[in-house]
């Protein structure tokens, strides 16, 4: 937790917030703060700054909050991701938030197992918690939006063309002839397949919608590895 992300419900006054639960444990066990210490804080979808610990007990920490800095710029990339298996999904979600992705579409694909859609990690609370962990890791406050589309064809035919409009559109697919571009200076949309890859039919539909197939070389990467490699290749995500 390189920043404690504060939500409206944490504020008891315009400049006072109370931390409990995970964030409080982190203050005690990892940061080992004492009253009078300052920690980095940010308001969800707002400014960042510092929180002075004015009161610390085993059940809560009260912070005097000063918010005066903008969060880092986001990455101008819409990520369209075939729903990963639950264990990986949680990590990918946190990685996307850490790398500055603000628009994430989770889609179905032939090789996405039906059970993946039942995962509790898709609940609103769990999405927010994992995105929060990613934002806190990277010191950002802007909560990504997650869209869930459980039908591939209607999404690709009816919605994707609108999402792609005015943007560079790519589908990462091993074996395609074009290497993934680097250092884009325009907004982009990137589609990433499931563990078993997009089918030939699905790649065809994505191309029909306007996506260009790109590859990352002969090494086939796990989704959780491919996503950060693709993002940092397309944009200077950590620059
Ligand atoms: N056997 C699958 C295939 O050949 O498509 C492997 C899928 S890979 C584990 C999961 C996803 O990560 C792929 O659908 C693709 O979007 C992305 N990916 C992984 N390695 C890649 C590479 N070398 N080139 C392009 N995309 C890659």
């Amino acid at each position: 937790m390189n920043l404690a992300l504060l939500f409206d419900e944490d504020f008891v006054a315009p400049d006072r917030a109370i931390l409990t639960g995970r964030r409080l444990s982190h203050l005690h066990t990892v940061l080992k703060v004492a009253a009078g210490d300052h920690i980095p804080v940010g308001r969800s979808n707002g400014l960042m700054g510092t929180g002075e610990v004015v009161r610390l007990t085993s059940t809560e920490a009260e912070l005097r909050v000063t918010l005066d800095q903008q969060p880092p710029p986001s990455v101008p990339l819409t990520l369209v991701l075939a729903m990963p298996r639950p264990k990986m999904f949680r990590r990918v979600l946190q990685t996307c938030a850490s790398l500055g992705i603000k628009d994430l579409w989770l889609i179905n694909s032939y090789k996405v197992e039906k059970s993946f859609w039942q995962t509790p990690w898709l609940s609103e609370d769990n999405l927010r918690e994992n995105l929060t962990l990613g934002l806190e890791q990277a010191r950002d406050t802007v909560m990504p939006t997650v869209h869930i589309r459980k039908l591939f064809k209607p999404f690709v035919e009816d919605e994707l063309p609108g999402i792609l409009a005015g943007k560079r559109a790519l589908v990462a697919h091993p074996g395609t002839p074009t290497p993934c571009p680097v250092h884009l200076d325009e907004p982009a949309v990137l589609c990433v397949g499931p563990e078993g890859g997009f089918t030939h039919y699905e790649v065809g539909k994505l191309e029909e919608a306007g996506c260009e197939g790109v590859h990352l070389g002969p090494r086939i990467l796990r989704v959780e590895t491919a996503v950060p490699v693709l993002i940092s290749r397309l944009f200077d995500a950590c620059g």
Side-chain angles (χ1 to χ4, degrees), residues 141-195:
T141 65
V142 182
M143 193 57 73
T145 305
V146 179
H147 315 262
I148 298 172
R149 294 295 182 268
K150 297 186 187 174
L151 295 175
F152 178 85
K153 197 161 170 260
F155 169 73
V156 173
E157 289 182 352
D158 304 336
E159 286 191 271
L160 189 59
I163 297 168
L164 303 185
K167 302 192 176 98
R168 181 85 181 261
L170 306 168
V171 49
H173 190 55
T176 46
T178 310
C180 178
V182 294
H183 304 308
L184 295 187
D185 56 2
E186 59 189 328
V189 178
L190 171 70
C191 306
V192 174
E195 205 172 314

Side-chain angles (χ1 to χ4, degrees), residues 172-174 192-198 214-217 219-221 223 226:
H173 190 55
V192 174
E195 205 172 314
F198 284 126
V214 294
H215 73 80
L216 280 175
R219 294 175 195 276
I220 309 295
L221 305 177
V223 173

Side-chain angles (χ1 to χ4, degrees), residues 8-192:
D8 289 348
E9 58 268 30
D10 298 321
F11 282 85
V12 289
D15 69 340
R16 296 273 170 154
I18 304 278
L19 294 189
T20 57
R22 174 186 60 78
R23 293 164 303 168
L24 175 68
S25 304
H26 194 86
L27 295 194
H28 278 300
T29 59
V30 182
L31 300 179
K32 300 187 193 304
V33 299
D37 287 350
H38 290 75
I39 60 162
V41 297
R43 186 159 192 155
S44 178
N45 292 319
L47 295 174
M48 311 194 308
T50 54
E52 181 190 348
V53 181
V54 292
R55 191 169 55 81
L56 185 64
T57 69
S58 58
T59 53
E60 58 182 42
E62 185 174 341
L63 305 178
R64 184 185 297 122
V65 175
T66 308
L67 298 171
D68 52 10
Q69 297 156 36
Q70 291 295 334
S74 56
V75 168
L77 179 72
T78 296
L79 184 63
V80 176
L81 185 65
M83 180 63 193
R85 70 174 56 251
K87 224 168 77 182
M88 191 185 288
F89 172 55
R90 204 173 148 247
R91 292 195 294 263
V92 172
L93 208 54
Q94 293 180 21
T95 299
C96 288
S98 288
L99 289 175
I101 299 290
K102 300 302 174 195
D103 196 25
L104 175 62
W105 295 74
L106 297 169
I107 65 164
N108 199 28
S109 158
Y110 184 70
K111 290 177 187 161
V112 169
E113 288 176 33
K114 279 200 174 64
S115 63
F116 293 178
W117 292 110
Q118 307 306 321
T119 177
W121 296 122
L122 277 171
S123 75
E124 218 170 285
D125 284 353
N126 283 331
L127 285 174
R128 186 176 94 156
E129 182 66 7
N130 281 292
L131 294 170
T132 297
L133 290 172
L135 292 175
E136 288 183 337
Q137 173 62 41
R139 286 198 179 152
D140 190 356
T141 65
V142 182
M143 193 57 73
T145 305
V146 179
H147 315 262
I148 298 172
R149 294 295 182 268
K150 297 186 187 174
L151 295 175
F152 178 85
K153 197 161 170 260
F155 169 73
V156 173
E157 289 182 352
D158 304 336
E159 286 191 271
L160 189 59
I163 297 168
L164 303 185
K167 302 192 176 98
R168 181 85 181 261
L170 306 168
V171 49
H173 190 55
T176 46
T178 310
C180 178
V182 294
H183 304 308
L184 295 187
D185 56 2
E186 59 189 328
V189 178
L190 171 70
C191 306
V192 174

